[in-house]
Amino acid sequence: MLVPDNETYRGNVLAFYNVLEAACRMGIRKILLASSICVYGVAFAEGDVDYPSFPVDEDVPAVPMDVYAISKVCGERTAAGFARRFRGTDVYVYRFGAVVSPSEFQEKFKAYVLRPDEWKVHGWTYTDARDLGGMLERGLVVDGLGFQVFNAVNDEMTNFEESTAAFLARVCPSVPVTRELVGREAPVSNRKLREVLGFVQQHRWQDYYRA
């Protein structure tokens, strides 16, 4: 713990509020904000907690128990309120996964690949730092959506298991599946990001990882 929990909460929630208030009062009509897939309540949970269902899309309830994720949920609700108050303002919230830069690929994916069962905390999902830029660029280009939340993650799960459905059936057998999981798609779904903003992944982790 770098700072007390109440300071984490205060800092994150006030950061959301201050950015939103300043931008809206200045007449800025496009605001992009960073949240986290931690809001789904698994990453920093007390004990072993499952996701409510798979795939984890933006409609899955965000009811975390840790202070970091709670502060992110509060920030998201604050953003929704400002978008409603300042009509005509687009506020897009990006729920990023674990962000991996090119220099980190080998070390990070060695752990993901060799010990796949251990990475429920990341949802077997990640965000390439370079593709992150493309996600934000699409948000700047696409206008008129009002308040939106996007899972800002890459397309595929973070291991070499043959299929996402088979892998999740083994490691999370009691978690319901709400639609067909296609191939090796990431358990935390970026379908909305692709279909609504037109995001196209440029960097597959398999192209950089060396066993």
Side-chain angles (χ1 to χ4, degrees), residues 79-98:
F82 270 90
R84 184 179 180 190
R85 178 181 176 186
F86 291 87
R87 298 185 183 279
T89 300
D90 289 337
V91 184
Y92 302 164
V93 174
Y94 289 76
R95 291 175 175 170
F96 293 112

Side-chain angles (χ1 to χ4, degrees), residues 19-34:
V19 168
L20 286 159
E21 182 182 44
C24 288
R25 291 193 180 281
M26 291 175 64
I28 294 171
R29 295 302 187 187
K30 176 67 64 68
I31 304 168
L32 309 182
L33 297 171

